Amino acid sequence: MVALSRRTLLKTSAVAGLYGIGLGASKLLHAAQPDPLSIEAKFTSAMIDGAHETKKMATYAIAGSKGPMPPAIRMKRDTPFAAKLINHLDDATTIHWHGLRIPNKMDGVPFLTQPYVYQGDSFDYAFTPPDAGTFWYHPHCNTMDQISTGMTGMLIVEDPNDPVFDAEIDLNLRDFRLGSDGQFIALFKPRDAARAGTYGTVRTANWQLEPRYDAPSGGLVRIRMADTDVTRIYNMRLEGAEAVIIALDGQPLPDIRKLDMAVVAPGQRIDLILKMPEGEGQEARLIDVRPSTPKVIASFRATGPSLKRSLADVAPLAPNPFQMPDLKNAERIPLVLSATAEDAARPSICGSLGYSFWAINKKPWTGDNPDPTAPLAEMKLGKSYIIELENSTPQAHPIHLHGMNFKAIASSSRTVDPLISDTYLVLPDEKVQLALVADNPGDWLIHCHIIEHQKTGMTAYVRVS
């Protein structure tokens, strides 16, 4: 989890490469595929609350990985990747590669892009990731049960030209709903699902309570974080050191910014460069200040003589390809997030929570079922669009678009950060405009990544053809 190197980032290693012209058809898609990585969906047990062994946790197991937590999967940009999912769970499952702009049939959404993978079955994934950055992987079938009980893993796409820091630490941030005996309790409460969502009782980073990591004194450490929780939104601050943000949601920032407070919602990611304290044994702590009592997420302890690095030496990463939308000629797509009490949820092999609390454009769809609604919009390949996203509810919703990236261009309630992303946290009563080029053909899900909201209706899809 912590990789050490004596090399240091210098400004001379800064930005290389140019923006591409959209996803297009990569010639590497036709390259010979590597031997597939075997990924087993299975049950395990783990010490989560520090006192009890939690039984029947769900995980992804990969040969050579250590511990019960799903390991970080590493790929290389523009290099073919292949994996075979083998399902040992009681229920059907899939893998969705969150944030990757890959072929539609590899996206992992049952009934929409691929068949579900039932117990004892397998499915072959093969694609070439076009973007470098921090992503994550999780099921999109029986999503509430499987994510809540453990099935979320970090996904790192490396750029061979990326700088190498003095250490790298990956943090998979998530809660678990455990009782006093350390075993799972009800994964959600209907009254909470109809509001902000049901929070976990035990908060972890990498399935640990307030883990501590060692890194070189005075060194520069890359910290990759993914909020893989079903509900929790983090407000992050750093104590005892300084850090800068170099990437959000897998996309490099054109201008590095100092970490003050960062808001990270379910589905979102953030990459920090932490300047470790100079003195051996000194600690920096990452804090979530959103609850009434601030909570330590993880701490970082300085070891050895100081390397005396400087955050002034940190330079922007090379950008990923992104085709700028033609705003003047873009077609507008209205999208309203609302509550609903219509259309009771239907049973599905991929799980139902039994309620319809939420809707997109007045139509609740729980997703993961064989009878989807009509597409929210039919988009022409290569054409520019502006999604006019209106949140008419008193709750925040992190809206995630599969298969494509967008750029926020306007908001009714705040100054827009014009960054490229795949997940946008829409505030209560906010109206936001998200611009994109429809550059990836297929049926692409768009949904709230508070999983209870997704599974009780705040789900739809767009068609690109």
Side-chain angles (χ1 to χ4, degrees):
M1 188 170 301
V2 180
L4 298 180
S5 170
R6 292 185 179 180
R7 288 188 288 169
T8 266
L9 171 66
L10 299 176
K11 282 186 174 177
T12 53
S13 69
V15 179
L18 300 172
Y19 281 112
I21 56 171
L23 186 59
S26 170
K27 64 182 180 180
L28 292 174
L29 291 176
H30 305 289
Q33 293 294 338
D35 292 336
L37 181 70
S38 178
I39 303 176
E40 296 182 76
K42 59 183 291 187
F43 292 115
T44 189
S45 60
M47 188 79 70
I48 298 296
D49 66 358
H52 307 87
E53 185 177 37
T54 302
K55 306 291 186 181
K56 209 165 185 180
M57 300 190 69
T59 191
Y60 295 107
I62 297 174
S65 61
K66 298 179 180 179
M69 185 184 74
I73 295 177
R74 290 186 174 263
M75 310 173 184
K76 294 188 183 298
R77 178 161 65 183
D78 293 333
T79 300
F81 170 83
K84 178 183 286 291
L85 170 64
I86 305 166
N87 185 14
H88 300 300
L89 303 173
D90 294 338
D91 296 313
T93 193
T94 63
I95 297 179
H96 169 59
W97 313 90
H98 183 111
L100 293 192
R101 300 180 302 129
I102 56 179
N104 190 244
K105 64 182 180 180
M106 298 288 102
D107 195 50
V109 180
F111 308 114
L112 200 63
T113 72
Q114 71 160 87
Y116 57 79
V117 183
Y118 204 62
Q119 183 186 44
D121 290 343
S122 64
F123 187 86
D124 293 317
Y125 294 94
F127 53 83
T128 299
D131 302 323
T134 302
F135 307 94
W136 61 296
Y137 63 106
H138 63 82
H140 237 292
C141 180
N142 292 298
T143 316
M144 185 69 196
D145 286 354
Q146 293 178 9
I147 289 184
S148 294
T149 55
M151 293 182 72
T152 64
M154 301 280 288
L155 176 59
I156 311 300
V157 183
E158 300 172 335
D159 182 341
N161 297 318
D162 268 358
V164 178
F165 298 90
D166 298 304
E168 182 168 312
I169 299 170
D170 306 330
L171 295 178
N172 181 342
L173 307 181
R174 52 162 308 143
D175 293 3
F176 293 95
R177 283 186 53 78
L178 306 180
S180 59
D181 61 353
Q183 306 311 308
F184 285 109
I185 57 176
L187 300 180
F188 78 100
K189 298 177 181 179
R191 63 177 293 174
D192 291 337
R195 298 176 181 174
T198 307
Y199 287 89
T201 61
V202 179
R203 301 178 57 182
T204 73
N206 294 336
W207 289 25
Q208 300 174 66
L209 301 173
E210 301 183 12
R212 176 187 287 119
Y213 298 95
D214 289 346
S217 302
L220 296 176
V221 181
R222 183 171 186 168
I223 301 175
R224 299 178 185 258
M225 287 181 283
D227 182 350
T228 75
D229 193 56
V230 297
T231 301
R232 187 173 299 281
I233 299 172
Y234 290 82
N235 285 11
M236 297 182 185
R237 291 189 183 275
L238 185 67
E239 294 182 352
E242 292 187 336
V244 294
I245 305 171
I246 60 168
L248 291 170
D249 297 337
Q251 304 302 318
L253 298 186
D255 298 302
I256 290 172
R257 60 187 64 176
K258 182 179 179 180
L259 174 64
D260 180 18
M261 185 183 73
V263 179
V264 183
Q268 295 188 304
R269 295 85 67 202
I270 183 170
D271 287 38
L272 306 178
I273 304 302
L274 166 66
K275 166 65 185 306
M276 290 293 293
E278 296 288 345
E280 183 165 14
Q282 294 180 340
E283 289 190 3
R285 300 193 305 167
L286 192 65
I287 309 290
D288 180 15
V289 299
R290 188 177 182 88
S292 56
T293 302
K295 175 75 172 178
V296 175
I297 298 171
S299 59
F300 311 94
R301 181 173 56 191
T303 61
S306 176
L307 299 181
K308 300 187 182 302
R309 311 297 192 208
S310 172
L311 286 174
D313 290 331
V314 178
L317 302 174
N320 287 317
F322 181 73
Q323 186 174 358
M324 295 300 297
D326 178 2
L327 300 181
K328 184 177 179 180
N329 297 300
E331 182 177 332
R332 294 176 181 268
I333 300 173
L335 191 157
V336 179
L337 310 177
S338 64
T340 186
E342 300 176 1
D343 294 346
R346 291 166 288 171
S348 168
I349 191 68
C350 277
S352 170
L353 300 193
Y355 303 90
S356 289
F357 296 135
W358 303 98
I360 296 179
N361 285 0
K362 299 183 179 180
K363 182 67 177 178
W365 180 45
T366 58
D368 299 355
N369 70 58
D371 186 22
T373 64
L376 180 72
E378 298 203 24
M379 307 165 77
K380 184 177 179 181
L381 186 65
K383 186 174 179 179
S384 295
Y385 294 86
I386 296 174
I387 298 176
E388 297 184 324
L389 183 57
E390 177 182 352
N391 182 4
S392 63
T393 82
Q395 309 296 342
H397 300 286
I399 297 298
H400 172 53
L401 175 64
H402 289 213
M404 295 179 286
N405 289 333
F406 52 74
K407 189 172 186 178
I409 58 172
S411 169
S412 63
S413 59
R414 50 180 161 163
T415 301
V416 162
D417 213 351
L419 301 176
I420 301 163
S421 182
D422 54 71
T423 307
Y424 187 92
L425 180 62
V426 193
L427 300 180
D429 300 316
E430 181 182 15
K431 297 178 182 179
V432 65
Q433 294 182 358
L434 308 176
L436 73 151
V437 175
D439 60 1
N440 201 358
D443 289 345
W444 297 108
L445 215 61
I446 183 169
H447 63 90
C448 180
H449 227 289
I450 294 175
I451 303 301
E452 293 153 272
H453 295 179
Q454 172 199 332
K455 292 294 293 179
T456 59
M458 195 169 280
T459 306
Y461 69 100
V462 296
R463 176 167 292 158
V464 179
S465 59

